[in-house]
Amino acid sequence: MYDRIIDAVRDVDTQHLLLIEGSDFSRDFNSFSYRLDHNMAYSPHVYIWLGFNDEQWINSFQALSYCHDTPVVIGEFGEDKMDDIEGPVSYTHLTLP
C-alpha cells in the first residue's frame, strides 16, 4: 500500500520530503524492510502514557535509521507536562544523528 501511495504522490511532486509513519501510534516500523523512497524520513510518535521507554524506543528508531539509511524525525510528543517531555526530548537530541 505504501508503495502505491508514494508512486501517486511522486507522479505530481518529486521534490518534497515524505514522512512515513508506522503502525500502533506510529511506534511500530517492523512492516518496513527497505527504504521506500529516496527523499523520505520515518516519523515515530513518542507517548509516555503508552509505555515509552527512552532507551528501548530510541535504540529501535536509531537501528531503523541505520538499517535503511533513512533519517528519523520524531513527529509528535504526546505529553501534557514539561517534566514528562524533558527526558525523551533530551535523550533523542543526544542519541539520534
Side-chain angles (χ1 to χ4, degrees):
M1 178 173 76
Y2 280 92
D3 290 323
R4 289 192 330 251
I5 293 169
I6 290 170
D7 288 344
V9 169
R10 290 301 182 213
D11 282 344
V12 296
D13 182 345
T14 60
Q15 300 298 313
H16 285 90
L17 175 71
L18 299 177
L19 295 176
I20 307 298
E21 296 187 354
S23 60
D24 189 27
F25 296 97
S26 195
R27 299 181 309 164
D28 181 359
F29 291 85
N30 289 324
S31 60
F32 302 110
S33 59
Y34 59 92
R35 185 178 183 145
L36 301 172
D37 189 76
H38 69 282
N39 189 16
M40 64 166 278
Y42 291 112
S43 182
H45 296 179
V46 177
Y47 303 108
I48 287 178
W49 65 80
L50 291 175
F52 181 81
N53 173 298
D54 293 353
E55 187 174 349
Q56 174 190 357
W57 287 106
I58 297 305
N59 288 342
S60 71
F61 300 153
Q62 189 174 44
L64 177 71
S65 176
Y66 289 142
C67 179
H68 295 181
D69 190 29
T70 303
V72 171
V73 176
I74 306 296
E76 188 173 313
F77 287 92
E79 304 354 308
D80 59 357
K81 292 183 275 182
M82 196 59 179
D83 290 347
D84 290 339
I85 201 170
E86 286 175 349
V89 168
S90 64
Y91 192 77
T92 57
H93 178 30
L94 295 174
T95 59
L96 287 177

